[in-house]
Amino acid sequence: MTQQLPATMSQSLFDSRADAIADAARQLAALGWTPATSSNFSMRVDDEHAAITISGRDKGHLGRDDIMLIDLHGHAVGTTARPSAETALHTQVYRRWPEMTAVLHTHSRTQSVVSRLYAARGAIQLQGWELQKAISGYTSHDSVLEIPVFPNTQHMPDLVAQVDAWLDAGKPLHAYLIDGHGIYTWGRDMAEARRHLEALEFLLECEMDLRRLSS
Ligand SMILES: [Zn+2]
């Protein structure tokens, strides 16, 4: 499948984004966070485009050819490949925050279980954990890091609307869980997005352990 790039986009820029996505995907797959071809990853390429994983590929074996170009409304650009089914949740981040350049979505066992445990409350409040400081803007374990849990749906516009409603209410958002499904988080570069994802996985595991041990 050939990827044609817009005349204004350099091949080396697209290739560097595609390589960064593929590298991250292989590493997260090795941790077991992307079972059965699930999960999707993207990076902003410029003001109007992002690179994203092609639907249905095994995330443990991704290469440059498994990444495609889309516009920020989720349409394929210069390829007949099909982007991830959840592309609208990636482009929403890039449209809302011009400074964000990487979006990661995984389906780890911990993310899946915790999302079900907290779905009825609509959010999980993390407080007292030193590792909250890994989330940009958090400088103390004392502050409350709230991660919403949105109901799952196969109808992406409904999920996009839930995220918009949360943000439009003025609440901070660094990540969200989807019930029985997984997590979305992002960053100003791939390193920040990876740090957020790894910290959140750790924090959710700690919360789950606390519940197990205190019951
Ligand atoms: Zn998913």
Coordinates of all heavy atoms in Angstrom, one line a residue, residues 122-123 146-150 161-173:
G122 N -18.1 7.0 37.3 CA -17.8 7.9 36.2 C -16.4 8.5 36.2 O -16.0 9.2 35.2
A123 N -15.6 8.2 37.2 CA -14.2 8.7 37.3 C -13.5 7.9 38.4 O -14.1 7.4 39.3 CB -14.2 10.2 37.5
E146 N -7.8 13.3 38.4 CA -9.1 12.7 38.1 C -9.1 12.1 36.7 O -8.8 12.9 35.8 CB -10.3 13.6 38.3 CG -11.6 13.0 38.2 CD -12.8 13.9 38.5 OE1 -12.7 15.1 38.2 OE2 -13.8 13.4 39.1
I147 N -9.4 10.8 36.6 CA -9.4 10.2 35.2 C -10.9 9.8 35.0 O -11.3 8.9 35.7 CB -8.5 9.0 35.2 CG1 -7.1 9.3 35.7 CG2 -8.5 8.4 33.8 CD1 -6.3 10.2 34.9
P148 N -11.6 10.4 34.1 CA -12.9 10.0 33.8 C -13.0 8.6 33.2 O -12.1 8.2 32.5 CB -13.5 11.0 32.8 CG -12.3 11.7 32.2 CD -11.2 11.5 33.2
V149 N -14.1 7.9 33.4 CA -14.4 6.6 32.8 C -15.7 6.8 32.0 O -16.8 7.0 32.5 CB -14.6 5.5 33.8 CG1 -14.8 4.2 33.1 CG2 -13.5 5.4 34.8
F150 N -15.6 6.8 30.7 CA -16.7 7.0 29.8 C -17.3 5.7 29.4 O -16.6 4.7 29.2 CB -16.3 7.8 28.6 CG -15.8 9.2 28.8 CD1 -14.5 9.6 28.4 CD2 -16.6 10.1 29.5 CE1 -14.0 10.8 28.7 CE2 -16.1 11.4 29.8 CZ -14.8 11.7 29.4
A161 N -18.3 13.2 21.8 CA -19.2 14.1 22.5 C -19.0 14.1 24.0 O -19.0 15.1 24.7 CB -20.6 13.8 22.2
Q162 N -18.7 12.9 24.6 CA -18.5 12.8 26.0 C -17.2 13.5 26.4 O -17.1 14.1 27.5 CB -18.4 11.3 26.4 CG -19.8 10.6 26.3 CD -19.6 9.1 26.7 OE1 -19.4 8.8 27.8 NE2 -19.7 8.3 25.7
V163 N -16.2 13.3 25.6 CA -14.9 14.0 25.9 C -15.0 15.5 25.8 O -14.6 16.2 26.6 CB -13.8 13.4 24.9 CG1 -12.5 14.2 25.2 CG2 -13.6 11.9 25.1
D164 N -15.7 15.9 24.7 CA -16.0 17.4 24.6 C -16.8 17.9 25.8 O -16.4 19.0 26.2 CB -16.8 17.6 23.3 CG -15.9 17.7 22.1 OD1 -14.7 18.1 22.2 OD2 -16.4 17.4 20.9
A165 N -17.8 17.2 26.2 CA -18.6 17.7 27.4 C -17.7 17.8 28.6 O -17.9 18.8 29.3 CB -19.7 16.7 27.6
W166 N -16.8 16.9 28.9 CA -15.9 17.0 30.0 C -15.1 18.2 29.9 O -14.9 19.0 30.9 CB -15.1 15.7 30.1 CG -14.1 15.6 31.2 CD1 -12.9 16.2 31.3 CD2 -14.3 15.0 32.5 NE1 -12.3 16.0 32.5 CE2 -13.1 15.2 33.2 CE3 -15.3 14.2 33.0 CZ2 -13.0 14.7 34.5 CZ3 -15.2 13.7 34.3 CH2 -14.0 13.9 35.0
L167 N -14.5 18.4 28.7 CA -13.6 19.6 28.6 C -14.3 20.9 28.6 O -13.9 21.9 29.2 CB -12.8 19.4 27.2 CG -11.7 18.3 27.2 CD1 -11.3 18.0 25.8 CD2 -10.6 18.7 28.1
D168 N -15.5 20.9 28.0 CA -16.3 22.1 28.0 C -16.8 22.5 29.3 O -17.1 23.7 29.6 CB -17.5 22.0 27.0 CG -17.0 21.9 25.5 OD1 -15.8 22.2 25.3 OD2 -17.7 21.4 24.7
A169 N -16.8 21.5 30.3 CA -17.2 21.8 31.7 C -16.0 22.4 32.4 O -16.1 22.8 33.6 CB -17.7 20.6 32.4
G170 N -14.8 22.6 31.7 CA -13.7 23.2 32.3 C -12.8 22.3 33.2 O -12.0 22.8 33.9
K171 N -13.1 21.0 33.1 CA -12.3 20.1 33.9 C -11.0 19.7 33.2 O -11.0 19.5 32.0 CB -13.1 18.8 34.2 CG -14.4 19.1 35.0 CD -15.0 17.9 35.5 CE -16.4 17.7 34.9 NZ -17.1 16.5 35.4
P172 N -9.9 19.5 34.0 CA -8.6 19.1 33.4 C -8.7 17.7 32.9 O -9.5 16.9 33.4 CB -7.6 19.2 34.6 CG -8.4 19.4 35.8 CD -9.8 19.7 35.5
L173 N -8.0 17.5 31.8 CA -8.1 16.1 31.2 C -6.7 15.8 30.6 O -6.2 16.5 29.8 CB -9.1 16.1 30.1 CG -9.4 14.7 29.5 CD1 -10.1 13.8 30.6 CD2 -10.3 14.7 28.3

